[in-house]
Protein backbone atom coordinates (compact mmCIF):
# COMPACT_ATOMS: atom_id res chain seq x y z
CA UNK A 1 0.00 0.00 0.00
CA UNK A 2 1.29 3.45 -0.91
CA UNK A 3 0.82 6.15 1.67
CA UNK A 4 -1.00 9.24 0.40
CA UNK A 5 0.96 12.47 0.28
CA UNK A 6 0.76 14.37 3.55
CA UNK A 7 -1.18 17.63 3.05
CA UNK A 8 0.89 20.81 3.19
CA UNK A 9 -1.76 22.83 5.08
CA UNK A 10 -0.72 24.38 8.36
CA UNK A 11 -1.70 22.40 11.42
CA UNK A 12 -3.46 23.83 14.48
CA UNK A 13 -1.51 24.32 17.69
CA UNK A 14 -1.33 21.19 19.84
CA UNK A 15 -3.27 21.07 23.09
CA UNK A 16 -0.19 19.70 24.89
CA UNK A 17 3.42 19.27 23.75
CA UNK A 18 4.08 15.78 25.19
CA UNK A 19 4.30 12.89 22.72
CA UNK A 20 1.82 10.10 23.46
CA UNK A 21 1.35 6.51 22.32
CA UNK A 22 -1.17 5.70 19.60
CA UNK A 23 -2.16 2.01 19.55
CA UNK A 24 -4.53 -0.06 17.44
CA UNK A 25 -5.78 -3.52 18.43
CA UNK A 26 -6.09 -5.19 15.03
CA UNK A 27 -9.08 -7.48 15.32
CA UNK A 28 -12.40 -7.69 13.46
CA UNK A 29 -15.88 -6.93 14.77
CA UNK A 30 -16.68 -10.62 15.18
CA UNK A 31 -13.71 -11.15 17.53
CA UNK A 32 -15.09 -8.87 20.25
CA UNK A 33 -15.69 -10.51 23.63
CA UNK A 34 -19.05 -8.75 24.03
CA UNK A 35 -20.35 -10.61 20.95
CA UNK A 36 -18.87 -14.01 21.81
CA UNK A 37 -22.14 -15.36 23.25
CA UNK A 38 -23.52 -15.37 19.69
CA UNK A 39 -20.52 -15.34 17.34
CA UNK A 40 -18.45 -18.52 17.44
CA UNK A 41 -14.90 -18.98 16.09
CA UNK A 42 -16.13 -21.24 13.29
CA UNK A 43 -18.23 -18.29 12.05
CA UNK A 44 -15.29 -15.87 11.82
CA UNK A 45 -14.83 -14.73 8.23
CA UNK A 46 -17.61 -17.03 6.97
CA UNK A 47 -21.05 -16.32 8.45
CA UNK A 48 -19.63 -12.97 9.49
CA UNK A 49 -17.57 -11.54 6.59
CA UNK A 50 -14.05 -10.19 7.02
CA UNK A 51 -13.86 -6.39 7.22
CA UNK A 52 -10.69 -5.73 9.23
CA UNK A 53 -8.42 -5.49 6.20
CA UNK A 54 -10.22 -2.54 4.58
CA UNK A 55 -10.70 -0.66 7.87
CA UNK A 56 -7.04 -1.12 8.86
CA UNK A 57 -5.86 0.20 5.51
CA UNK A 58 -8.11 3.20 6.12
CA UNK A 59 -6.37 3.72 9.47
CA UNK A 60 -2.99 3.59 7.73
CA UNK A 61 -4.19 6.33 5.37
CA UNK A 62 -5.39 8.51 8.25
CA UNK A 63 -2.12 8.09 10.14
CA UNK A 64 -0.12 8.93 7.02
CA UNK A 65 -2.17 12.07 6.46
CA UNK A 66 -1.16 13.21 9.96
CA UNK A 67 2.45 12.00 9.72
CA UNK A 68 1.87 9.73 12.72
CA UNK A 69 3.47 6.40 13.63
CA UNK A 70 1.65 3.95 15.90
CA UNK A 71 1.80 0.51 17.48
CA UNK A 72 -0.46 -2.14 15.94
CA UNK A 73 -1.25 -4.99 18.37
CA UNK A 74 -2.12 -7.59 15.74
CA UNK A 75 -4.26 -10.65 16.35
CA UNK A 76 -2.57 -13.73 14.91
CA UNK A 77 -5.83 -14.84 13.31
CA UNK A 78 -5.90 -11.58 11.34
CA UNK A 79 -2.24 -11.95 10.34
CA UNK A 80 -2.97 -15.44 9.00
CA UNK A 81 -6.02 -14.19 7.06
CA UNK A 82 -4.43 -10.93 5.79
CA UNK A 83 -0.65 -11.43 5.60
CA UNK A 84 -0.03 -8.57 3.15
CA UNK A 85 -1.77 -6.16 5.51
CA UNK A 86 0.74 -6.94 8.26
CA UNK A 87 3.65 -6.51 5.86
CA UNK A 88 2.25 -3.12 4.82
CA UNK A 89 1.87 -1.98 8.43
CA UNK A 90 5.55 -2.71 9.05
CA UNK A 91 6.60 -1.26 5.68
CA UNK A 92 4.89 2.02 6.61
CA UNK A 93 7.19 2.29 9.65
CA UNK A 94 4.73 1.34 12.37
CA UNK A 95 5.52 -0.98 15.28
CA UNK A 96 3.94 -4.44 14.98
CA UNK A 97 3.12 -6.02 18.35
CA UNK A 98 1.21 -9.12 19.44
CA UNK A 99 -2.45 -9.45 20.48
CA UNK A 100 -2.40 -13.23 20.85
CA UNK A 101 -3.75 -15.55 18.17
CA UNK A 102 -7.34 -16.62 18.81
CA UNK A 103 -8.63 -13.67 20.87
CA UNK A 104 -9.16 -15.79 23.94
CA UNK A 105 -9.09 -13.94 27.24
CA UNK A 106 -5.82 -14.77 28.98
CA UNK A 107 -7.49 -15.28 32.34
CA UNK A 108 -9.64 -18.02 30.80
CA UNK A 109 -6.66 -19.97 29.45
CA UNK A 110 -4.31 -22.37 31.14
CA UNK A 111 -0.68 -21.33 31.19
CA UNK A 112 0.13 -23.92 28.54
CA UNK A 113 -2.67 -22.79 26.22
CA UNK A 114 -1.69 -19.15 26.76
CA UNK A 115 1.93 -19.88 25.89
CA UNK A 116 1.04 -21.77 22.72
CA UNK A 117 -1.42 -19.09 21.61
CA UNK A 118 0.99 -16.19 22.11
CA UNK A 119 4.04 -18.03 20.74
CA UNK A 120 2.14 -18.96 17.56
CA UNK A 121 1.10 -15.36 16.97
CA UNK A 122 4.55 -13.92 17.72
CA UNK A 123 6.28 -16.34 15.34
CA UNK A 124 3.81 -15.56 12.54
CA UNK A 125 4.16 -11.78 12.95
CA UNK A 126 7.95 -12.01 12.96
CA UNK A 127 7.99 -14.17 9.86
CA UNK A 128 5.75 -11.70 7.99
CA UNK A 129 7.60 -8.53 8.99
CA UNK A 130 11.18 -9.79 9.31
CA UNK A 131 11.32 -7.91 12.63
CA UNK A 132 11.30 -8.96 16.27
CA UNK A 133 8.05 -8.50 18.13
CA UNK A 134 8.64 -6.95 21.54
CA UNK A 135 5.17 -5.94 22.75
CA UNK A 136 2.03 -7.81 23.80
CA UNK A 137 -1.52 -6.82 24.72
CA UNK A 138 -3.95 -9.36 26.15
CA UNK A 139 -7.43 -9.51 24.62
CA UNK A 140 -9.85 -7.56 26.83
CA UNK A 141 -6.96 -6.52 29.12
CA UNK A 142 -7.25 -9.97 30.68
CA UNK A 143 -4.16 -10.20 32.87
CA UNK A 144 -5.14 -9.84 36.53
CA UNK A 145 -4.56 -11.40 39.97
CA UNK A 146 -5.66 -14.81 38.71
CA UNK A 147 -3.00 -15.20 36.02
CA UNK A 148 0.11 -13.24 36.91
CA UNK A 149 2.00 -16.24 35.53
CA UNK A 150 1.29 -14.68 32.12
CA UNK A 151 4.12 -12.20 32.71
CA UNK A 152 6.54 -15.04 33.36
CA UNK A 153 5.47 -16.65 30.10
CA UNK A 154 5.85 -13.39 28.19
CA UNK A 155 9.39 -12.97 29.55
CA UNK A 156 10.26 -16.54 28.51
CA UNK A 157 8.98 -15.84 24.99
CA UNK A 158 11.19 -12.77 24.65
CA UNK A 159 8.67 -9.98 25.08
CA UNK A 160 10.06 -6.73 26.47
CA UNK A 161 6.77 -5.10 27.39
CA UNK A 162 3.05 -5.61 27.85
CA UNK A 163 0.07 -3.26 27.86
CA UNK A 164 -2.48 -5.69 29.25
CA UNK A 165 -3.85 -4.20 32.45
CA UNK A 166 -6.52 -1.59 33.10
CA UNK A 167 -6.55 -0.33 36.70
CA UNK A 168 -10.33 0.17 36.85
CA UNK A 169 -13.31 -1.77 38.18
CA UNK A 170 -15.30 -3.22 35.27
CA UNK A 171 -17.56 -6.19 34.64
CA UNK A 172 -15.24 -7.70 31.99
CA UNK A 173 -11.76 -6.73 33.24
CA UNK A 174 -9.85 -4.52 35.63
CA UNK A 175 -7.25 -4.48 38.41
CA UNK A 176 -8.10 -1.20 40.21
CA UNK A 177 -5.38 -1.59 42.86
CA UNK A 178 -2.51 -2.22 40.43
CA UNK A 179 -0.04 0.50 39.35
CA UNK A 180 -1.35 3.14 36.99
CA UNK A 181 1.89 4.06 35.22
CA UNK A 182 4.70 2.22 33.43
CA UNK A 183 6.63 -0.12 35.73
CA UNK A 184 8.82 -3.22 35.70
CA UNK A 185 7.16 -6.43 36.79
CA UNK A 186 9.09 -8.86 39.05
CA UNK A 187 9.17 -11.24 36.09
CA UNK A 188 11.20 -8.69 34.11
CA UNK A 189 8.52 -7.49 31.68
CA UNK A 190 7.65 -3.78 31.51
CA UNK A 191 3.91 -3.18 31.97
CA UNK A 192 2.29 -0.02 30.57
CA UNK A 193 -1.26 0.13 31.99
CA UNK A 194 -4.15 1.76 30.13
CA UNK A 195 -4.50 5.38 31.37
CA UNK A 196 -6.86 6.42 34.15
CA UNK A 197 -7.62 9.56 36.15
CA UNK A 198 -8.48 9.48 39.84
CA UNK A 199 -11.60 11.11 41.26
CA UNK A 200 -12.94 10.64 44.80
CA UNK A 201 -10.60 7.69 45.30
CA UNK A 202 -11.76 5.94 42.15
CA UNK A 203 -9.91 5.39 38.87
CA UNK A 204 -11.77 6.73 35.83
CA UNK A 205 -11.08 4.99 32.48
CA UNK A 206 -9.85 7.39 29.80
CA UNK A 207 -7.77 5.13 27.53
CA UNK A 208 -9.94 4.99 24.42
CA UNK A 209 -12.18 2.37 22.87
CA UNK A 210 -15.81 2.50 23.91
CA UNK A 211 -15.15 5.27 26.40
CA UNK A 212 -13.82 7.51 23.63
CA UNK A 213 -16.98 6.86 21.60
CA UNK A 214 -19.18 7.42 24.66
CA UNK A 215 -17.67 10.67 25.94
CA UNK A 216 -18.19 13.84 23.89
CA UNK A 217 -14.93 14.62 22.11
CA UNK A 218 -14.31 17.84 24.03
CA UNK A 219 -14.61 15.91 27.29
CA UNK A 220 -12.11 13.30 26.08
CA UNK A 221 -9.71 16.04 25.07
CA UNK A 222 -10.11 17.68 28.48
CA UNK A 223 -9.50 14.39 30.29
CA UNK A 224 -6.35 13.65 28.27
CA UNK A 225 -5.00 17.15 28.85
CA UNK A 226 -5.77 16.85 32.57
CA UNK A 227 -3.98 13.49 32.73
CA UNK A 228 -0.87 14.92 31.08
CA UNK A 229 -0.80 17.95 33.37
CA UNK A 230 -1.46 16.04 36.60
CA UNK A 231 0.80 13.07 36.07
CA UNK A 232 3.61 14.25 33.83
CA UNK A 233 3.31 10.81 32.19
CA UNK A 234 2.76 10.08 28.50
CA UNK A 235 -0.79 9.06 27.62
CA UNK A 236 -1.58 5.97 25.53
CA UNK A 237 -4.70 5.63 23.42
CA UNK A 238 -6.24 2.46 21.96
CA UNK A 239 -8.96 1.70 19.47
CA UNK A 240 -9.94 -1.01 16.99
CA UNK A 241 -10.39 -1.02 13.20
CA UNK A 242 -14.05 -2.02 13.55
CA UNK A 243 -14.67 1.22 15.45
CA UNK A 244 -14.25 3.26 12.25
CA UNK A 245 -16.53 0.87 10.32
CA UNK A 246 -20.15 2.00 10.85
CA UNK A 247 -21.37 -0.23 7.99
CA UNK A 248 -20.33 -3.49 9.66
CA UNK A 249 -23.03 -6.18 9.96
CA UNK A 250 -25.25 -5.93 13.03
CA UNK A 251 -25.07 -9.05 15.19
CA UNK A 252 -28.48 -10.07 16.49
CA UNK A 253 -29.20 -11.92 19.71
CA UNK A 254 -26.79 -9.99 21.94
CA UNK A 255 -27.80 -8.11 25.08
CA UNK A 256 -28.85 -4.47 24.97
CA UNK A 257 -25.75 -3.60 26.97
CA UNK A 258 -23.52 -5.28 24.40
CA UNK A 259 -25.38 -3.55 21.58
CA UNK A 260 -24.85 -0.20 23.26
CA UNK A 261 -21.18 -0.82 23.93
CA UNK A 262 -20.34 -2.08 20.48
CA UNK A 263 -22.35 0.13 18.13
CA UNK A 264 -22.37 3.45 19.97
CA UNK A 265 -21.18 6.37 17.79
CA UNK A 266 -19.37 4.25 15.22
CA UNK A 267 -20.35 6.86 12.64
CA UNK A 268 -18.51 9.57 14.64
CA UNK A 269 -15.32 7.69 15.42
CA UNK A 270 -13.25 8.57 12.36
CA UNK A 271 -13.95 12.27 12.74
CA UNK A 272 -13.05 12.13 16.43
CA UNK A 273 -9.87 10.20 15.67
CA UNK A 274 -8.85 12.87 13.17
CA UNK A 275 -9.36 15.60 15.76
CA UNK A 276 -7.34 13.60 18.29
CA UNK A 277 -4.43 13.29 15.87
CA UNK A 278 -4.57 17.04 15.27
CA UNK A 279 -4.81 18.04 18.94
CA UNK A 280 -1.99 15.92 20.43
CA UNK A 281 1.40 14.50 19.43
CA UNK A 282 1.57 10.74 18.79
CA UNK A 283 4.07 7.96 18.13
CA UNK A 284 4.53 4.23 18.80
CA UNK A 285 4.71 2.60 22.23
CA UNK A 286 8.41 1.89 21.85
CA UNK A 287 9.24 5.44 20.84
CA UNK A 288 7.17 7.06 23.59
CA UNK A 289 8.17 4.78 26.48
CA UNK A 290 11.67 3.84 25.24
CA UNK A 291 10.97 0.17 25.78
CA UNK A 292 13.67 -1.72 23.87
CA UNK A 293 16.46 -1.68 26.40
CA UNK A 294 16.13 1.94 27.47
CA UNK A 295 14.82 3.41 30.70
CA UNK A 296 13.37 0.09 31.79
CA UNK A 297 13.85 0.50 35.53
CA UNK A 298 10.94 2.74 36.47
CA UNK A 299 9.24 1.99 39.77
CA UNK A 300 5.43 1.77 40.07
CA UNK A 301 3.81 5.11 40.88
CA UNK A 302 0.15 5.79 41.59
CA UNK A 303 0.45 9.44 42.54
CA UNK A 304 -0.78 12.52 40.75
CA UNK A 305 -1.24 16.16 41.60
CA UNK A 306 -4.94 17.01 41.71
CA UNK A 307 -5.48 20.70 41.04
CA UNK A 308 -8.83 20.67 39.27
CA UNK A 309 -11.95 18.49 39.69
CA UNK A 310 -12.47 15.68 37.22
CA UNK A 311 -15.93 15.18 35.68
CA UNK A 312 -17.51 12.02 37.08
CA UNK A 313 -18.39 9.55 34.33
CA UNK A 314 -19.51 5.93 34.30
CA UNK A 315 -18.71 2.58 32.72
CA UNK A 316 -18.76 1.70 29.05
CA UNK A 317 -15.94 -0.65 28.06
Amino acid sequence: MENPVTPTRSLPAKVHAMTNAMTIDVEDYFHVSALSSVVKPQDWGTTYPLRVEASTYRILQILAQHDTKATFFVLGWVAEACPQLIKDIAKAGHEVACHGFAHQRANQQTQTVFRDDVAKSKALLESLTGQRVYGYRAPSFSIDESNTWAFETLAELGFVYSSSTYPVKHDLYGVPDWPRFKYRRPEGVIEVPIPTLTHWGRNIPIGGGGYFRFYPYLLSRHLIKTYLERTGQPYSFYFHPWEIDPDQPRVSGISRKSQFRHYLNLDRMEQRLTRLLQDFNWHSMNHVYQLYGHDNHGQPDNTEIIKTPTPCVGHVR
Side-chain angles (χ1 to χ4, degrees):
M1 171 187 170
E2 293 184 1
N3 292 332
V5 176
T6 302
T8 57
R9 61 179 174 79
S10 60
L11 296 175
K14 301 294 184 181
V15 173
H16 196 282
M18 184 175 289
T19 301
N20 308 288
M22 175 61 61
T23 73
I24 300 95
D25 293 354
V26 184
E27 60 192 59
D28 219 328
Y29 66 98
F30 46 72
H31 292 123
V32 177
S33 295
L35 308 184
S36 62
S37 61
V38 173
V39 180
K40 305 305 178 187
Q42 60 266 29
D43 299 327
W44 295 353
T46 53
T47 304
Y48 299 94
L50 186 82
R51 297 181 66 88
V52 67
E53 188 169 30
S55 52
T56 304
Y57 274 121
R58 176 58 186 148
I59 290 169
L60 287 172
Q61 290 178 332
I62 295 169
L63 294 176
Q65 288 166 357
H66 293 85
D67 194 23
T68 297
K69 301 303 181 189
T71 295
F72 288 74
F73 289 96
V74 180
L75 195 67
W77 188 95
V78 173
E80 191 171 69
C82 311
Q84 189 59 48
L85 171 65
I86 313 311
K87 294 177 182 179
D88 287 340
I89 292 171
K91 184 178 178 181
H94 301 287
E95 179 186 12
V96 174
C98 179
H99 198 36
F101 192 91
H103 207 265
Q104 296 174 321
R105 294 168 66 177
N107 55 11
Q108 294 180 354
Q109 296 175 310
T110 66
Q111 188 169 6
T112 299
V113 171
F114 174 80
R115 190 186 196 287
D116 291 346
D117 176 270
V118 175
K120 180 180 179 181
S121 181
K122 185 175 188 287
L124 176 58
L125 295 173
E126 291 178 340
S127 69
L128 290 172
T129 64
Q131 303 170 3
R132 281 191 61 188
V133 169
Y134 293 97
Y136 170 79
R137 175 171 287 160
S140 301
F141 311 113
S142 52
I143 296 182
D144 55 32
E145 296 93 340
S146 70
N147 63 336
T148 54
W149 45 257
F151 291 112
E152 178 183 342
T153 300
L154 293 175
E156 291 174 355
L157 291 174
F159 286 95
V160 172
Y161 77 93
S162 161
S163 182
S164 301
T165 61
Y166 211 154
V168 297
K169 186 176 182 180
H170 188 277
D171 59 341
L172 294 178
Y173 53 73
V175 279
D177 297 329
W178 282 22
R180 295 175 51 236
F181 308 123
K182 168 191 164 186
Y183 69 107
R184 178 185 283 274
R185 290 280 313 177
E187 300 85 354
V189 175
I190 303 300
E191 175 64 20
V192 184
I194 305 300
T196 58
L197 276 172
T198 57
H199 181 64
W200 292 340
R202 178 179 175 180
N203 293 341
I204 297 172
I206 62 166
Y211 294 105
F212 185 71
R213 289 184 284 114
F214 176 66
Y215 302 158
Y217 177 74
L218 289 180
L219 175 57
S220 289
R221 187 174 72 170
H222 169 74
L223 293 173
I224 296 169
K225 182 174 181 288
T226 301
Y227 174 89
L228 295 172
E229 292 174 346
R230 285 187 184 178
T231 69
Q233 302 278 340
Y235 167 86
S236 64
F237 179 80
Y238 78 92
F239 72 105
H240 311 83
W242 57 262
E243 291 185 279
I244 65 161
D245 181 16
D247 297 325
Q248 64 190 261
R250 264 36 181 185
V251 176
S252 60
I254 59 177
S255 68
R256 288 186 178 181
K257 181 167 69 172
S258 293
Q259 290 178 17
F260 175 79
R261 286 176 167 177
H262 189 82
Y263 298 114
L264 177 69
N265 290 332
L266 294 180
D267 58 338
R268 300 181 180 182
M269 181 63 180
E270 184 172 324
Q271 181 184 33
R272 291 183 179 183
L273 176 63
T274 298
R275 294 183 68 181
L276 191 69
L277 292 170
Q278 292 171 342
D279 284 343
F280 298 91
N281 295 305
W282 303 97
H283 213 293
S284 66
M285 291 284 284
N286 171 50
H287 179 91
V288 171
Y289 294 100
Q290 292 291 288
L291 293 165
Y292 302 174
H294 305 285
D295 189 26
N296 283 344
H297 301 286
Q299 297 300 311
D301 184 2
N302 285 304
T303 63
E304 60 181 304
I305 302 170
I306 300 180
K307 297 180 180 178
T308 58
T310 303
C312 189
V313 286
H315 280 188
V316 181
R317 180 168 139 204

